[in-house]
Structure formats: C-alpha cells, structure tokens
Amino acid sequence: MASDKDTIIKVTNAAVRFNMASERIDNLKEYFVKLIKRELMFQEFMALKDINFEVKRGEAWGLIGTNGSGKTMLMRMIAGLIYPTQGRVLIQGKEISGGKAYPVNLGMLIENPAFLDGYTGLNNLKFLASINQRVTEQEIRDTITRVGLDADDTRKYKKYSLGMKQRLGIAAAIFEHPDILILDEPVNALDEDGVALVQQIIEEEKQRGALILLSCHDREFLEGASDVLYRMKAGVLSEMLGEAQG
C-alpha cells in the first residue's frame, strides 16, 4: 500500500490566469502602438481553475479532453514551464510555485519534439545528456534501440520521418530514468507497431517506479496505458472516469 512518502506530485487549489487582448490584431506594429497609447483592452482568461490532485510513485494518470481543455497547460505547470497564479504545486515535496524550485528528475515530451536539425539522433541525446551528466553513452544507445531506432544511423534529424522524430522525442523523455514522466500525445505519427512499443515502454516505466502523466486523443490507447483516467474541460480537472484497463 502506498504511503505519503510515495506521493510525487501534489497540487492544491492551483489556477493559471492570463490577460489576453480583447481584440485580434495581426499587425505587430499596430499592437504595440495601441499598447503604448493604452488603447488596447485586455480580458482575463483562466487556463486552469482550482486544480487539486495527488499522484503517487508507479501510477499512470491519463488525461482526456478536447483541444484547449487545459491538458497541455496542466502538464506545463507540473513541469515548471509555467507557474500557477494561485495555489501550490509540490514536486517530490518541494514547492515549484512561483519559481521556488524546479523539478530535477523529470522527463517530458510536450507537444512536438524539437531537436538540432544538423545532429544525428545519437548526438542530439548526447548533447542533452551533457547537461546533467547522469547517463553513459551506452545507456543512450540502449534507449535509442528501445524506442525502435538505430543509434548508428548517420542521418541528421532533419532527414527523419515524423514517426522517427516522435520516437526520438520519447527517447529524450526516458533516457535519464526520470521519477516523473510526462507524455503529451505520445503516439502522434506512430504506426501500430510504434503504438504498441509506447504502451510497452509505459508499462516498463511504471514497473521501474516512475509516475507517468499522459494525454492523448486516442481514448482506447489512453484506457490501455493508464491506471486512472480523468477528463479536462475548460481548465477544470473534472470527474474521474474510473479505473482504466491497463
């Protein structure tokens, strides 16, 4: 049975608010002229509203919702890429709200993968690995093989197909063996074999003890990969849809 020590993410009354221009202005010069003259009106937009949840080690949470429902925004908040304008976000007991800390053991693929076009897949991951210096080149090679790519492929990233780019993005998320794994639409551009491979990787990461946060438009995939399924709607984390099939 999981204890409080196993709680990796704890979010309490968190909200994210933006001020957006009340009119659409396509011309940047016109935008700044109106801004300087104080002729530009703004309205409040709540991207996330009153978010409360806890996730423990070894759990996979699935998020389902339409475009703009807040799934990616929630993931960005957990990753420390944006901060809540109210409430608290604790990652492994440390508060990241307001830039007080940053998740130090987190891997993520949020939206589309992005790498250096002139580097091979291996060299892109070696470049990323040089930041934290946690993994060896052999571990990087093993991860590339794990996602179905060839570590010795001499093609540059710009020559990769969409599916290969997606696989490399997943490799970048998992290669440092993170405690928290965030995967936003992880099966984009993947064929059936690729989808099955991602499901296998998610199960292996859960068994390793990683906490996994998933979002996907494919309900069937999400139900198979998640332990618990929640719906996001208009920035609200709404009812639990029940225990998933995975």
Side-chain angles (χ1 to χ4, degrees), residues 219 226-230 239-245:
R219 176 72 177 261
S226 307
D227 297 314
V228 183
L229 200 57
Y230 278 81
E239 78 277 5
M240 186 175 77
L241 301 180
E243 300 293 324
Q245 299 296 316

Side-chain angles (χ1 to χ4, degrees), residues 163-207:
M164 292 173 68
K165 290 178 178 179
Q166 187 74 2
R167 289 172 186 255
L168 189 64
I170 294 169
I174 66 174
F175 81 118
E176 291 185 314
H177 320 297
D179 290 336
I180 302 170
L181 181 59
I182 296 178
L183 298 174
D184 183 19
E185 300 291 344
V187 295
N188 272 357
L190 295 183
D191 56 19
E192 289 185 4
D193 289 342
V195 172
L197 182 62
V198 172
Q199 288 178 314
Q200 177 183 331
I201 288 172
I202 289 170
E203 185 59 33
E204 291 169 351
E205 291 299 300
K206 281 172 51 183
Q207 293 300 318

Side-chain angles (χ1 to χ4, degrees), residues 62-218:
L63 299 174
I64 193 165
T66 59
N67 290 338
S69 62
K71 303 186 304 297
T72 300
M73 193 66 66
L74 177 58
M75 290 179 160
R76 287 178 175 276
M77 184 177 71
I78 298 301
L81 300 178
I82 61 170
Y83 302 124
T85 48
Q86 70 181 54
R88 303 180 72 197
V89 179
L90 277 71
I91 306 294
Q92 296 177 306
K94 295 183 178 180
E95 186 168 1
I96 65 168
S97 313
K100 295 178 181 178
Y102 187 82
V104 295
N105 201 345
L106 180 148
M108 62 181 169
L109 173 60
I110 295 182
E111 296 181 317
N112 299 319
F115 295 95
L116 297 173
D117 280 343
Y119 280 33
T120 64
L122 175 63
N123 285 337
N124 264 296
L125 293 194
K126 286 172 66 176
F127 177 75
L128 290 176
S130 69
I131 299 171
N132 293 320
Q133 300 183 357
R134 292 176 181 166
V135 292
T136 65
E137 179 174 337
Q138 186 58 53
E139 288 177 292
I140 296 171
R141 286 178 168 273
D142 290 344
T143 301
I144 291 174
T145 301
R146 187 180 175 194
V147 300
L149 296 176
D150 180 2
D152 293 317
D153 191 337
T154 59
R155 283 176 292 179
K156 303 298 190 290
Y157 177 72
K158 63 184 176 181
K159 297 293 185 180
Y160 275 24
S161 67
L162 290 177
M164 292 173 68
K165 290 178 178 179
Q166 187 74 2
R167 289 172 186 255
L168 189 64
I170 294 169
I174 66 174
F175 81 118
E176 291 185 314
H177 320 297
D179 290 336
I180 302 170
L181 181 59
I182 296 178
L183 298 174
D184 183 19
E185 300 291 344
V187 295
N188 272 357
L190 295 183
D191 56 19
E192 289 185 4
D193 289 342
V195 172
L197 182 62
V198 172
Q199 288 178 314
Q200 177 183 331
I201 288 172
I202 289 170
E203 185 59 33
E204 291 169 351
E205 291 299 300
K206 281 172 51 183
Q207 293 300 318
R208 184 177 61 80
L211 177 159
I212 304 172
L213 190 60
L214 296 163
S215 77
C216 187
H217 284 93
D218 186 335

Side-chain angles (χ1 to χ4, degrees), residues 8-58:
I8 304 297
I9 298 174
K10 184 175 182 178
V11 180
T12 308
N13 300 324
V16 174
R17 180 181 64 251
F18 294 108
N19 289 322
M20 301 180 65
S22 57
E23 59 179 302
R24 177 173 177 175
I25 301 176
D26 295 324
N27 185 291
L28 189 60
K29 179 179 179 180
E30 181 184 356
Y31 176 88
F32 280 110
V33 168
K34 287 196 171 191
L35 184 64
I36 292 170
K37 291 183 176 181
R38 299 184 179 181
E39 296 175 353
L40 194 60
M41 302 298 293
F42 290 88
Q43 60 186 11
E44 185 178 271
F45 171 70
M46 297 297 296
L48 295 174
K49 307 171 188 176
D50 196 27
I51 303 293
N52 292 275
F53 67 91
E54 294 183 15
V55 194
K56 297 184 183 297
R57 187 183 308 278

